[in-house]
Amino acid sequence: MLYKVIGLMSGSSLDGLDIVFTELQETTGVWRFEILAADCYPYSSDWTNKLTAAIHLSALDYQLLHTEYGAYLGTEVNRFIEAHDLHYKVALIASHGHTSFHEPHRKMTAQLGDGAALAAQTKSIVVSDLRALDVAFGGQGAPIVPIGEKLLFPDYELFLNLGGIANLTATTPHGTVAFDVCAANKVLDMLMNTIGRSYDEGGTTAASGVVHSELLQRLNDLDYYRKPYPKSLANSFGTDSVFPIITSYKLPVEDALRTYLEHIAIQIAAAVDSLSKASAEVSRKLLVTGGGAFNTFLVQRLKEALQKFSIEIVVPDENIIRYKEALVMALIGVLRWRQEYNVMSSVTGAERNSIGGAVWIGQEA
């Protein structure tokens, strides 16, 4: 079967809306993909502020924003379709939405972006609310990308996504495990914002700093790192817990960046070590994607930190780096349409695999 699908992803780093138009083909259980068009539409400062402040809204204002953001997603999808001449070529739209609340221990996760509003705006079939059912079954609702890594990238067993939050996946003959490792780009970008810059290009600012050992130790001692997987992080871990700790030391931004970048490398190495101990079959190749893959200094530190495990870091082509998560959302949407499992309980800790996602039929019958 052949599916032409749009996938949407808005990550915790708030750099913009990732949109992918992909051709997904399944033949006797084997999936192949081709990215036919992709873009990142940056958020305006107004939308950045709205999404950041969403958790502080009243119930009514939150629901109004949910609807407004869903319509905004539809407008951006229509712009994307127009820009790439995709009229009448899109069979389905799969939208992750933008995570606002994430309380899996209370069986709740919330992603802004009303699927009904998106479907009405685009007059298309939309799949949204991709995490909710897994959380209802007692899972973390995260990460959900591993199903796509397993089906679309069978040549790898280790995957690292360096987004606002860093997460790691290991696919072995005994099953797939994955979990959020630590806050990543979100904290690095917040530090750069203090000097009026949006991000540290290539990690050059961090590379000019020195590690503050006391701060590094305090970060490494955070309780989350002692929890066993499956586990996941809310965006607030980086913004409300980690960032205030760093700023309390009043370091030059170069030293703060260098220290936190070292923290990221240490925690990823520790996570890889835990997976290696759990399975002797863990791959020797690690596919790195997400915006952090462009941080050459961070990638270099990761290579050095993982050298003792004889693990090769592979940075793929730019489209995969930038848009892998949006691509996987497209696949998850197709699996939901096919009524096949699209979230793995071995990853999230749910009581069983699930077929997650609400379907909205925006097109005429």
Side-chain angles (χ1 to χ4, degrees):
M1 291 290 292
L2 181 67
Y3 303 90
K4 294 186 177 182
V5 189
I6 284 178
L8 306 179
M9 182 68 198
S10 176
S12 56
S13 59
L14 276 172
D15 53 352
L17 176 66
D18 290 340
I19 308 181
V20 161
F21 176 58
T22 181
E23 188 174 271
L24 296 163
Q25 185 168 19
E26 182 269 335
T27 307
T28 63
V30 177
W31 286 88
R32 294 178 177 82
F33 73 91
E34 183 180 359
I35 295 177
L36 302 176
D39 271 315
C40 178
Y41 290 164
Y43 288 125
S44 66
S45 58
D46 183 48
W47 268 113
T48 298
N49 292 335
K50 284 180 179 181
L51 295 175
T52 300
I55 59 173
H56 304 297
L57 297 175
S58 68
L60 175 59
D61 287 340
Y62 180 88
Q63 285 302 119
L64 289 171
L65 179 62
H66 180 56
T67 301
E68 182 187 0
Y69 184 61
Y72 165 82
L73 293 177
T75 299
E76 295 298 82
V77 167
N78 287 339
R79 174 158 75 108
F80 179 81
I81 288 172
E82 185 70 35
H84 297 282
D85 192 22
L86 301 178
H87 300 286
Y88 309 109
K89 297 177 183 177
V90 180
L92 182 146
I93 299 166
S95 175
H96 175 272
H98 187 83
T99 298
S100 51
F101 298 100
H102 186 63
E103 301 278 344
H105 60 288
R106 302 169 72 179
K107 294 194 174 183
M108 188 278 288
T109 187
Q111 284 72 45
L112 285 164
D114 181 25
L118 172 55
Q121 195 77 16
T122 58
K123 306 296 189 292
S124 300
I125 299 171
V126 169
V127 179
S128 64
D129 298 326
L130 306 177
R131 300 180 186 268
L133 185 58
D134 179 82
V135 171
F137 277 123
Q140 291 287 310
I144 60 172
V145 170
I147 186 69
E149 292 168 333
K150 178 181 179 180
L151 296 178
L152 300 180
F153 300 92
D155 293 337
Y156 296 88
E157 289 85 40
L158 269 178
F159 303 87
L160 174 65
N161 179 64
L162 289 171
I165 293 170
N167 47 66
L168 187 69
T169 303
T171 302
T172 78
H174 308 293
T176 300
V177 294
F179 55 94
D180 288 340
V181 178
C182 61
N185 293 348
K186 183 63 176 178
V187 172
L188 295 174
D189 292 348
M190 288 175 72
L191 289 169
M192 290 300 292
N193 293 163
T194 65
I195 57 172
R197 291 164 58 188
S198 56
Y199 68 101
D200 184 12
E201 186 171 359
T204 54
T205 306
S208 68
V210 295
V211 174
H212 189 282
S213 58
E214 182 183 334
L215 172 58
L216 180 62
Q217 187 61 52
R218 186 172 172 188
L219 291 169
N220 288 334
D221 285 342
L222 288 169
D223 289 341
Y224 177 79
Y225 304 124
R226 290 190 288 272
K227 293 180 180 179
Y229 54 80
K231 57 183 179 178
S232 62
L233 287 168
N235 295 336
S236 58
F237 179 75
T239 57
D240 300 347
S241 297
V242 172
F243 187 70
I245 291 174
I246 298 172
T247 55
S248 71
Y249 281 79
K250 297 181 170 53
L251 301 175
V253 70
E254 296 85 356
D255 295 351
L257 282 164
R258 178 69 183 85
T259 302
Y260 195 70
L261 188 142
E262 190 68 17
H263 170 70
I264 294 171
I266 288 171
Q267 291 306 322
I268 290 171
V272 169
D273 186 32
S274 69
L275 292 174
S276 297
K277 289 175 180 175
S279 174
E281 290 89 359
V282 167
S283 170
R284 299 297 96 187
K285 290 199 301 182
L286 174 66
L287 187 70
V288 181
T289 57
F294 295 111
N295 187 323
T296 51
F297 183 60
L298 174 56
V299 172
Q300 180 58 39
R301 283 298 301 123
L302 287 173
K303 288 179 178 178
E304 293 164 358
L306 296 176
Q307 191 173 25
K308 60 185 175 181
F309 304 117
S310 300
I311 288 176
E312 175 191 359
I313 288 183
V314 178
V315 179
D317 69 73
E318 187 170 325
N319 263 353
I320 300 300
I321 291 173
R322 292 185 184 277
Y323 301 113
K324 187 189 76 174
E325 290 199 322
L327 168 68
V328 173
M329 295 309 124
L331 174 66
I332 288 174
V334 169
L335 293 173
R336 169 63 183 89
W337 185 252
R338 287 163 58 105
Q339 298 187 53
E340 297 177 2
Y341 291 130
N342 59 5
V343 182
M344 297 185 291
S345 59
S346 66
V347 169
T348 66
E351 63 185 72
R352 67 170 176 82
N353 295 338
S354 59
I355 305 171
V359 178
W360 310 89
I361 309 296
Q363 64 185 29
E364 293 187 11

